Amino acid sequence: MLRRSLIKVATLAAFAGALGFSNAALAADKVTVQLDWVVRGNHAMFFVGKEKGFFAKNDIDVAEIRKGSGSPDAMRLVGNGNADFGFGDLPTLAVARSQSVPVVALAAVNQHSPLAIMSLAKTVKLTKPADLKGLTIGIHPAGSTYIFFKGFLAANGLTEKDMTLNSVSPPYESYLLLGRVQTVVGYVDAEVPELEAKAGGPGSLSIMMGADHGWKAYGSGLFTSETIIKDKPDVVARFVKAYREAFDYVVAHPEEAAEITAKAAPGYADKKDVLLAQINADIASTFTSPDTKDHGLGWMTKTQWEETLKTLTAQGVLKAALSADGVFTDKFLAKE
């Protein structure tokens, strides 16, 4: 009986070998993900994709999801091969490419920019860009928020001399709540839920969206390096497919997505409500567009990328002209 079993095993092994299979070929591709910042609601796709098996189903093993220190750093880390995939602000990706960082956008998670300028409603009401004149603005001096801020000022005929700038670092809300600044620049799908939780709930903030005042650009999204696209296109295709499946699940099940993320991210056990508020803010205002209704979440178009690059150039953020074809690729977005 033992001899017969051994013969059977040997025969199956030989058959697998004849088909070209091996343990290495059957193993999932291990990848690392670099986030732009601490964990937020729009990062939920990575955690949900791992927990619900979307990555595993596509033979992807997400070995590590690393928190970041800003979009520019995330671009550099992916561009130089220290991570396989990244998440960050897509206008910042365009700036990085203009500085020879070889990263390419794979999906636009935020179809409209979630960046905004906000204040405590009880002290300052923001209704138009000119309201910023004479105010003290809390701004991080590098990264996506500053890139946005420079473009926002240029689009609305303002300069930094029209206001007082104070350098701030996360958590931004502390500067505003303590009265050290009158406004801060941040994300409606990140800082706003954090701030509202401490400032009195919905309605406690006055929010001026960049997208309503000349900042016509994609928000954050998924990206990788030119090298990964060139050397491992099949891995990229399977990763993007799994990511979009997870994206669909997050939008359909935001509460479960927040719960999964809170459990998976170190130090987030008590932040499910904030994560849920962040996800819901994106569902309400940034995840969808006419393009996503036709083609699915994360979709990008050359036309919209050209509009984004035009905005960045016209507002003095990009110093060198870029081609949309070099900044993004849509070849991995088509669903089977």
Side-chain angles (χ1 to χ4, degrees):
M1 180 68 72
L2 177 60
R3 182 173 181 274
R4 186 177 300 170
S5 297
L6 290 173
I7 291 172
K8 185 177 180 180
V9 169
T11 301
L12 288 172
F15 180 69
L19 292 177
F21 293 129
S22 67
N23 288 337
L26 293 173
D29 290 287
K30 185 175 291 188
V31 302
T32 55
V33 172
Q34 178 63 56
L35 303 180
D36 52 341
W37 209 249
V38 296
V39 174
R40 292 169 167 170
N42 60 6
H43 298 144
M45 296 67 141
F46 298 111
F47 299 97
V48 168
K50 190 169 182 177
E51 173 67 21
K52 302 300 290 187
F54 296 118
F55 288 119
K57 183 179 70 174
N58 287 279
D59 293 324
I60 298 290
D61 174 12
V62 178
E64 191 176 4
I65 303 170
R66 304 169 183 161
K67 68 178 182 179
S69 54
S71 288
D73 288 341
M75 311 302 177
R76 284 191 290 269
L77 288 167
V78 172
N80 65 23
N82 282 318
D84 301 299
F85 296 92
F87 185 93
D89 180 66
L90 295 182
T92 302
L93 181 143
V95 174
R97 279 202 63 93
S98 74
Q99 299 168 347
S100 301
V101 180
V103 284
V104 181
L106 297 172
V109 171
N110 299 118
Q111 296 286 303
H112 321 285
S113 176
L115 279 159
I117 301 172
M118 55 203 76
S119 65
L120 295 178
K122 64 183 180 182
T123 58
V124 174
K125 291 288 181 66
L126 299 175
T127 60
K128 58 187 183 300
D131 292 338
L132 297 176
K133 289 184 177 181
L135 297 183
T136 301
I137 315 291
I139 180 77
H140 194 265
S144 60
T145 51
Y146 188 56
I147 287 172
F148 156 73
F149 186 64
K150 289 193 297 182
F152 180 89
L153 294 184
N156 293 285
L158 299 170
T159 71
E160 294 182 8
K161 293 180 180 179
D162 291 322
M163 56 212 70
T164 300
L165 301 187
N166 280 4
S167 178
V168 299
S169 57
Y172 302 134
E173 61 266 17
S174 61
Y175 295 86
L176 192 61
L177 294 170
L178 293 172
R180 295 176 182 173
V181 298
Q182 292 169 291
T183 67
V184 292
V185 180
Y187 290 80
V188 294
D189 58 353
E191 278 77 33
V192 164
E194 292 270 13
L195 270 167
E196 285 183 338
K198 299 175 181 178
S204 58
L205 302 179
S206 181
I207 301 169
M208 185 160 54
M209 293 294 299
D212 294 334
H213 298 280
W215 186 247
K216 305 299 182 183
Y218 279 129
S220 296
L222 179 70
F223 63 91
T224 191
S225 68
E226 290 180 350
T227 299
I228 295 288
I229 289 175
K230 177 177 177 291
D231 294 345
K232 300 178 180 180
D234 182 59
V235 173
V236 178
R238 286 184 280 116
F239 187 93
V240 172
K241 183 175 184 292
Y243 182 86
R244 295 185 81 196
E245 290 173 348
F247 198 170
D248 287 339
Y249 195 91
V250 168
V251 171
H253 308 278
E255 188 160 347
E256 184 184 356
E259 186 174 343
I260 288 171
T261 304
K263 287 181 179 178
Y268 276 71
D270 62 346
K271 289 196 172 185
K272 175 191 168 183
D273 290 345
V274 169
L275 289 167
L276 179 58
Q278 292 173 339
I279 293 169
N280 282 333
D282 272 323
I283 290 173
S285 61
T286 76
F287 279 166
T288 58
S289 68
D291 291 329
T292 64
K293 290 175 182 176
D294 290 338
H295 302 287
L297 295 170
W299 194 261
M300 297 182 295
T301 68
K302 184 174 180 178
T303 299
Q304 182 56 34
W305 259 111
E306 287 174 339
E307 185 68 24
T308 295
L309 295 176
K310 181 180 177 182
T311 296
L312 292 170
T313 303
Q315 296 174 11
V317 176
L318 272 182
K319 303 303 182 185
L322 288 177
S323 166
D325 291 327
V327 175
F328 88 107
T329 178
D330 61 2
K331 69 180 182 179
F332 302 107
L333 287 173
K335 290 188 175 182
E336 295 179 357

